[in-house]
């Protein structure tokens, strides 16, 4: 087969499966085996409204700023004398009561960007707002400390920047069986069986062959390892619930994977926010509680840390469409059985001291959270991944 024909046919055959879902693995250090510590990152994409998630129900500024959207004190779950959960977060409250949940308030970064795409890139790459990086912090981690593409898995059909390294990436899949079957179609078998030293010596063609070999090997490993341990939990029947069920099956099967990434969309609530956010928070908390119980029942929660973030919060002031526009600092949730400081890690937002745009000021740089996970949880040197050293926090 000629080189041009191969490249054209492989692109047509399954471009979405090969690129960018799989990247070539490079030689590196081996992960810690079946009992290694792992991180599950959940993104609430679109910018969840943190002020209506964790509500300062005694604050007059909150109620004056949101005459239509403010949650009344008798419609929420009171946690402290000043803060309460949205009523749809009862499952999260149960995790809080167990000591499994830590809440970090006022998380952000200097000179915040209010573009979904740009702010997501900043969170994914751990860059400053004036930096433009092409690799994600999780991608750089597995590139330095992984061995195979499946050392980091995104539960989706395509790979996000978060899991892309400079020379090696993670892998993306929502269905291990489908992934395995796609990599074993007659077409791909024929292509792989035709590889020769001549093919592999050609730069582009060799890269594609090696990528396909790694992809096929990863697909086989993920499928054969996870198929013997299907989840017995009844997860919510929605896409997010299914994503977490798949994640639990991978974790409980003891895949040699340290990084998982899941995204749940719909949080860009510029209009009619009340019903939309209520529905989404119910979906999130219900599925997360089931996920945590599933891991706990299988003895894998002990070594799992779950991080939930959104690329930014919303404005303090509601808009004319009964919604909120893009803001800045927000809350972050951490779930684990090994939290040093469960509950509130720091105080809630100060509505008396807003930034120049009347948005919430950040107290915690999100990269300090990453630095803590890398240093204190995964036990690696943070600067090699984040490129700059950040203060660590005492939550794990």
């Amino acid at each position: 087969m000629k080189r041009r024909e191969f490249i054209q046919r492989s692109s047509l055959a399954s471009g979405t499966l090969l690129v960018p879902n799989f990247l070539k693995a490079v030689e590196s250090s081996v992960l810690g085996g079946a009992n290694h510590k792992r991180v599950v990152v959940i993104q609430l994409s679109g910018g969840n409204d943190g002020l209506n998630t964790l509500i300062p129900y005694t604050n007059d500024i909150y109620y004056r700023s949101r005459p239509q959207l403010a949650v009344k004190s008798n419609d929420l779950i009171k946690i402290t004398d000043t803060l309460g959960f949205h009523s749809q977060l009862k499952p999260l409250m149960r995790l809080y009561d167990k000591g499994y949940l830590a809440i970090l308030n006022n998380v952000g970064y200097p000179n915040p960007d209010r573009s979904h795409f740009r702010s997501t890139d900043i969170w994914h790459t751990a860059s400053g707002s004036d930096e433009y990086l092409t690799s994600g912090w999780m991608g750089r981690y597995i590139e330095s400390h992984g061995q195979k593409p499946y050392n980091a898995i995104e539960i989706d059909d395509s790979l996000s920047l978060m899991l892309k390294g400079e020379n090696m990436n993670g892998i993306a899949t929502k269905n291990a069986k489908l992934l395995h079957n796609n990599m074993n179609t007659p077409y791909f078998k024929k292509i792989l069986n035709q590889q020769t030293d001549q093919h592999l010596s050609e730069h582009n063609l060799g890269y594609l062959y090696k990528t396909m070999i790694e992809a096929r090997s990863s697909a086989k490993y993920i499928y054969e390892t996870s198929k013997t341990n299907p989840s017995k939990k009844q997860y919510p029947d929605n896409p997010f619930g299914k994503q977490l069920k798949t994640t639990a099956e991978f974790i409980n099967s003891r895949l040699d994977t340290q990084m998982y990434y899941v995204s749940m969309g719909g949080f860009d609530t510029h209009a009619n926010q009340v019903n939309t956010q209520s529905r989404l928070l119910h979906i999130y908390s219900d599925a997360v509680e089931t996920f945590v119980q599933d891991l706990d029942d299988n003895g894998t929660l002990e070594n799992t840390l779950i991080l939930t973030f959104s690329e930014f919060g919303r404005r303090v002031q509601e808009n004319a469409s009964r919604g909120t526009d893009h803001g800045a600092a927000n809350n972050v949730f951490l779930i684990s059985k090994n939290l040093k400081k469960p509950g509130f890690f720091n105080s809630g937002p100060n509505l008396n001291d807003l930034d120049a745009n009347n948005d919430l000021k950040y107290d915690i740089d999100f990269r300090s959270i990453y630095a803590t996970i890398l240093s204190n949880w995964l036990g690696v040197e943070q600067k090699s991944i984040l490129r700059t050293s950040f203060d660590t926090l005492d939550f794990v």
Side-chain angles (χ1 to χ4, degrees):
M1 179 182 293
K2 294 182 179 179
R3 173 174 172 165
R4 177 176 297 178
E5 181 183 356
F6 170 78
I7 293 174
Q8 289 174 339
R9 288 186 61 184
S10 62
S11 298
L12 290 172
S14 187
T16 58
L17 193 62
L18 288 176
V19 181
N21 291 3
F22 312 112
L23 288 196
K24 180 181 81 169
V26 295
E27 291 298 322
S28 186
S29 60
V30 180
L31 296 179
N35 294 318
H36 57 250
K37 289 186 176 180
R38 61 190 72 82
V39 179
V40 178
V41 174
I42 299 171
Q43 181 174 355
L44 306 182
S45 298
N48 178 47
D49 181 14
L51 272 180
N52 273 21
T53 300
L54 189 64
I55 300 122
Y57 66 89
T58 62
N59 194 298
D60 291 339
I61 298 174
Y62 167 73
Y63 287 101
R64 288 198 304 269
S65 300
R66 299 181 167 205
Q68 302 293 328
L69 295 185
V71 179
K72 295 180 175 60
S73 61
N74 58 350
D75 289 336
L76 49 78
I77 306 167
K78 293 181 181 179
I79 309 173
T80 70
D81 292 339
T82 59
L83 293 170
F85 274 138
H86 189 285
S87 62
Q88 294 299 322
L89 294 178
K90 288 181 181 179
L92 211 63
M93 186 66 194
R94 289 191 284 268
L95 297 178
Y96 178 94
D97 289 338
K98 287 182 178 181
Y100 288 3
L101 174 66
I103 301 165
L104 281 64
N105 292 299
N106 315 315
V107 180
Y109 55 89
N111 303 311
D113 196 295
R114 289 169 178 79
S115 160
H116 291 294
F117 302 106
R118 179 65 189 131
S119 192
T120 293
D121 282 355
I122 290 168
W123 276 82
H124 281 202
T125 62
S127 72
S129 58
D130 58 346
E131 295 179 287
Y132 292 82
L133 303 182
T134 57
S135 62
W137 75 279
M138 294 172 81
R140 294 194 296 271
Y141 171 78
I142 65 158
E143 192 169 43
S144 299
H145 300 279
Q147 187 181 35
K148 298 290 184 180
Y150 55 72
N151 295 147
I153 299 177
E154 177 169 355
I155 313 300
D156 205 342
D157 291 324
S158 60
L159 200 69
S160 299
L161 181 57
M162 177 101 69
L163 275 72
K164 293 182 181 179
E166 295 176 354
N167 299 294
M168 173 186 172
N169 289 3
I171 195 168
T173 181
K174 288 195 296 188
N175 186 315
K177 183 177 181 180
L178 180 61
L179 172 66
H180 178 262
N181 290 344
N182 283 340
M183 294 308 301
N184 284 277
T185 60
Y187 171 75
F188 284 112
K189 284 185 177 180
K190 180 179 179 182
I191 294 298
L192 291 171
N193 289 337
Q194 287 179 344
Q195 66 168 304
T196 65
D197 291 338
Q198 179 182 0
H199 285 145
L200 295 176
S201 68
E202 298 181 56
H203 178 71
N204 289 338
L205 197 55
Y207 175 81
L208 287 172
Y209 268 120
K210 290 175 182 178
T211 299
M212 292 176 68
I213 292 168
E214 289 289 349
R216 188 179 180 189
S217 175
S218 295
K220 180 180 180 182
Y221 170 76
I222 294 170
Y223 173 62
E224 292 187 348
T225 305
S226 63
K227 71 179 181 179
T228 59
N229 195 8
S231 176
K232 298 178 176 63
K233 283 287 183 182
Q234 186 66 41
Y235 279 78
D237 187 18
N238 54 59
F240 183 64
K242 292 175 182 177
Q243 285 176 292
L244 289 189
K245 181 179 181 180
T246 297
T247 306
E249 290 174 342
F250 288 168
I251 291 173
N252 292 336
S253 299
R254 274 64 173 181
L255 284 184
D256 196 11
T257 304
Q258 280 193 288
M259 297 285 190
Y260 292 91
Y261 170 63
V262 178
S263 179
M264 175 183 172
F267 287 90
D268 194 17
T269 52
H270 288 282
N272 302 316
Q273 175 177 303
V274 171
N275 291 335
T276 298
Q277 189 190 30
S278 180
R279 175 179 56 82
L280 292 172
L281 291 180
H282 172 74
I283 291 171
Y284 163 76
S285 62
D286 193 21
V288 164
E289 183 185 39
T290 305
F291 177 61
V292 170
Q293 290 172 345
D294 200 351
L295 299 188
D296 212 0
D297 290 348
N298 284 274
T300 54
L301 184 60
E302 188 75 25
N303 289 323
T304 302
L305 177 65
I306 305 164
L307 163 69
T308 298
F309 80 96
S310 203
E311 67 265 28
F312 45 62
R314 315 297 292 190
R315 307 302 297 265
V316 175
Q317 190 79 35
E318 69 179 42
N319 61 29
S321 301
R322 297 193 176 189
T324 50
D325 298 324
H326 301 174
N330 208 350
N331 38 51
V332 162
F333 297 143
L334 290 164
I335 299 171
S336 175
K337 291 182 74 170
N338 293 292
L339 296 171
K340 286 186 177 179
K341 189 177 179 181
F344 288 98
F345 185 83
N346 58 333
S347 59
N350 184 354
L351 299 185
N352 291 300
D353 184 22
L354 303 178
D355 67 15
N357 294 302
N358 290 320
D359 281 333
L360 300 177
K361 290 183 177 179
Y362 84 95
D363 293 330
I364 297 175
D365 192 311
F366 76 96
R367 291 164 293 186
S368 287
I369 300 174
Y370 294 170
T372 305
I373 292 172
L374 291 166
S375 300
N376 297 357
W377 183 251
L378 297 174
V380 300
E381 202 280 311
Q382 56 151 305
K383 189 174 181 180
S384 64
I385 310 300
L386 302 180
R387 303 166 185 248
T388 303
S389 293
F390 294 90
D391 293 336
T392 57
L393 308 171
D394 196 29
F395 57 78
V396 288

